Amino acid sequence: MVNTNRIAEIGLLIGEPARAAMLDALMDGRALTAGELAGVAGITPQTASGHLARLSDANLLAVERQGRHRYHRLASAEVADLIESVARIAAVTLPQTRRPVTGPRDAQMRLARTCYDHLAGGLGVAVTDALVAKGVIAFDDGAGIVAPDGLDRLAALGIAVDDAARRTTRPLCRPCLDWSERRPHLAGRLGAAVCRHFLERHWVTRIADSRALFITPKGRQALRAEFGIAEIG
Amino acid sequence: MVNTNRIAEIGLLIGEPARAAMLDALMDGRALTAGELAGVAGITPQTASGHLARLSDANLLAVERQGRHRYHRLASAEVADLIESVARIAAVTLPQTRRPVTGPRDAQMRLARTCYDHLAGGLGVAVTDALVAKGVIAFDDGAGIVAPDGLDRLAALGIAVDDAARRTTRPLCRPCLDWSERRPHLAGRLGAAVCRHFLERHWVTRIADSRALFITPKGRQALRAEFGIAEIG
DNA sequence: CGGATGCTTCGGTCTGGGCCGTAGCGTCGC
DNA sequence: GCGACGCTACGGCCCAGACCGAAGCATCCG
């Protein structure tokens, strides 16, 4: 058994509001500077610096120097999964008082956002449902399956799974429980490929300082034409 | 987004050595008394009582009164998954110095143990491999698949998935990365059914105060006859 | 009923760690 | 080179919370 002290250490790293906020801010897979992270956590840069050093030492974060900036990002998809697990419990654990905390910004998040590196929210589950309806993928009791000709059919749409990452342990196709929708959306390497495709074609664009995504008119048209999705929500 | 403070709270609950030790001790799915948990954590009962109250308040634990005892167990399989996620990161995170901390007790754990409610260790992956070889189940890039006739073939062996639990969200078949073996073993409702089968037939018995399992002579024979497993390790 | 057992509550001590102000180091632009 | 900027290291303050001893409840047993 892994020493339980190691488990506690990881828990402790997450168990601090400022660090949790920073980790959450990095959940979209992008890299942010120490200053930006200090901002989202509501603390001074020098305090943030200490936190980030600890997170990096524990290999939860990876840091990349670029000039006088230091960009921090989650060290791996596994770390993102960890945060997801915690957040899932956090949501379940919470007594169901006043579930929908609907702000204007919240609405955008519910409509479309990224979850680490794949699509989530109404858009995420809609695209997932469409792929299931097409028979490209299927979910069997929480396990993801790709049809034998699934990858070829996706390639025909211009969606290519990153071959360089094939040898990693990261799952190809995996369901990920969506917070706002409470239903699974597509995750794994395939989910990342779909998300990349949407961003590259400018079907969606990132909304500043947020994981929320804006669905462009071009995107709405493509959703209708290629996935048969007329309305989201 | 779920308030990041909620995430931090969960992290904080795990991020304390005594609580982490208690949660880990409950990872085999059994229920333990407050006194026993105080023992494994190396603290006095009154301190443990405080910790347990907090864990219960946060719905990480469920408690059942029985006479003057109070039995504590993990509140759900999702909590077990959470601890698993943390432990997985803890193992990966750790610089690879002196990997195998081989004690006499550790060896037994590596050979066979429970992981929440399914088989793990050498035995866990061996049984999993056998089921894969038989074509009953398959893992596709981290996703678990059951063959169309899989459940029927398992039923023929006397292994029945609990139908009462069919409506839960818990996955039927799911790979779970094994610490000691660093390869996936079978988890999910199917994994629980297999483990239950092994225990009911007395193919394995629990070793006191541990998640480790002892493989009985009867069990070794059954492994050879029904799964074609001659040697484990 | 009285004692033993299991657990919880309360009160008080003490340490770990989060926080910021100040200062120091490296990088960029003029 | 010089100042502005981003980040990190150090020192000191302060508080949350982990811990235990003592005491209080509840339950079981003789």
Side-chain angles (χ1 to χ4, degrees):
Chain A
M1 181 67 40
V2 174
N3 191 341
T4 59
N5 283 331
R6 291 287 311 161
I7 296 180
E9 279 175 41
I10 304 291
L12 200 59
L13 287 171
I14 301 173
E16 207 283 326
R19 285 195 293 261
M22 293 195 261
L23 288 168
D24 181 63
L26 293 170
M27 275 297 286
D28 62 0
R30 282 181 300 178
L32 300 179
T33 66
E36 290 170 322
L37 288 167
V40 303
I43 52 180
T44 59
Q46 61 269 35
T47 303
S49 177
H51 287 309
L52 292 169
R54 290 183 62 179
L55 291 168
S56 291
D57 285 348
N59 283 110
L60 293 189
L61 296 185
V63 47
E64 207 169 324
R65 305 190 42 152
Q66 220 171 89
R68 56 181 161 182
H69 297 278
R70 293 205 173 181
Y71 286 92
H72 299 264
R73 59 177 174 78
L74 298 188
S76 67
E78 277 160 339
V79 176
D81 276 354
L82 168 63
I83 307 296
E84 277 282 320
S85 297
V86 180
R88 184 149 45 239
I89 293 286
V92 167
T93 298
L94 196 63
Q96 303 289 38
T97 49
R98 68 186 189 97
R99 174 118 42 102
V101 189
T102 316
R105 174 174 172 151
D106 213 60
Q108 190 58 253
M109 287 281 280
R110 288 175 191 283
L111 184 66
R113 66 175 182 277
T114 53
C115 172
Y116 191 54
D117 60 3
H118 52 269
L119 299 175
L123 175 64
V125 301
V127 170
T128 302
D129 288 348
L131 290 174
V132 169
K134 280 174 182 282
V136 174
I137 60 171
F139 292 132
D140 174 11
D141 264 309
I145 313 165
V146 182
D149 62 345
L151 290 185
D152 292 337
R153 289 171 62 189
L154 286 172
L157 290 175
I159 301 174
V161 174
D162 191 358
D163 267 339
R166 269 203 77 78
R167 285 178 41 245
T168 69
T169 59
R170 190 172 179 204
L172 175 63
C173 173
R174 182 175 73 78
C176 175
L177 192 59
D178 196 286
W179 285 328
S180 48
E181 300 290 320
R182 307 242 161 184
R183 289 170 47 216
H185 61 242
L186 174 63
R189 301 205 317 268
L190 198 49
V194 170
C195 181
R196 206 180 321 123
H197 185 73
F198 272 57
L199 282 167
E200 280 170 3
R201 306 260 164 140
H202 294 98
W203 291 352
V204 295
T205 55
R206 294 187 187 277
I207 293 178
D209 297 330
S210 163
R211 286 165 55 192
L213 293 172
F214 173 71
I215 306 176
T216 64
K218 191 172 156 191
R220 295 199 174 271
Q221 189 184 335
L223 282 170
R224 205 166 15 238
E226 303 202 12
F227 295 92
I229 300 170
E231 199 69 39
I232 292 176
Chain B
M1 181 68 38
V2 174
N3 191 341
T4 59
N5 284 331
R6 291 288 310 161
I7 295 180
E9 279 176 40
I10 304 291
L12 199 60
L13 287 171
I14 301 173
E16 207 283 326
R19 285 194 293 261
M22 292 195 263
L23 288 169
D24 181 63
L26 294 169
M27 275 296 286
D28 62 0
R30 283 181 300 180
L32 300 179
T33 66
E36 290 170 322
L37 289 168
V40 304
I43 52 179
T44 59
Q46 63 268 34
T47 303
S49 177
H51 286 310
L52 291 169
R54 290 184 62 180
L55 290 169
S56 292
D57 285 348
N59 282 110
L60 292 190
L61 296 185
V63 47
E64 207 169 326
R65 304 189 44 151
Q66 220 169 89
R68 57 181 160 180
H69 296 278
R70 293 204 174 182
Y71 286 92
H72 300 262
R73 60 177 172 77
L74 298 188
S76 68
E78 277 161 340
V79 176
D81 275 355
L82 168 62
I83 307 297
E84 276 283 319
S85 297
V86 179
R88 184 150 43 239
I89 292 286
V92 168
T93 297
L94 196 62
Q96 302 289 36
T97 49
R98 67 186 189 95
R99 172 117 43 100
V101 189
T102 316
R105 174 174 173 153
D106 212 61
Q108 190 60 251
M109 287 282 279
R110 288 174 191 283
L111 184 65
R113 66 177 182 277
T114 54
C115 172
Y116 191 53
D117 60 2
H118 52 269
L119 299 175
L123 175 65
V125 301
V127 170
T128 302
D129 287 349
L131 289 174
V132 169
K134 279 174 183 284
V136 174
I137 59 172
F139 292 132
D140 174 10
D141 264 310
I145 312 165
V146 183
D149 62 346
L151 289 184
D152 292 337
R153 290 171 61 188
L154 286 173
L157 290 175
I159 301 174
V161 174
D162 190 358
D163 266 339
R166 268 204 76 76
R167 283 178 41 246
T168 69
T169 59
R170 188 170 180 206
L172 175 63
C173 173
R174 181 174 72 78
C176 176
L177 191 58
D178 195 286
W179 286 328
S180 49
E181 299 291 320
R182 306 241 161 182
R183 291 170 46 216
H185 60 243
L186 175 63
R189 301 205 320 267
L190 198 49
V194 170
C195 182
R196 207 182 319 122
H197 185 74
F198 272 59
L199 282 167
E200 280 171 2
R201 306 262 164 136
H202 293 99
W203 291 353
V204 296
T205 56
R206 292 186 188 276
I207 293 177
D209 298 328
S210 162
R211 286 165 55 192
L213 294 171
F214 174 71
I215 306 175
T216 65
K218 190 172 157 191
R220 295 199 175 272
Q221 190 184 336
L223 281 171
R224 207 167 12 240
E226 301 204 14
F227 295 91
I229 299 171
E231 198 69 40
I232 293 176

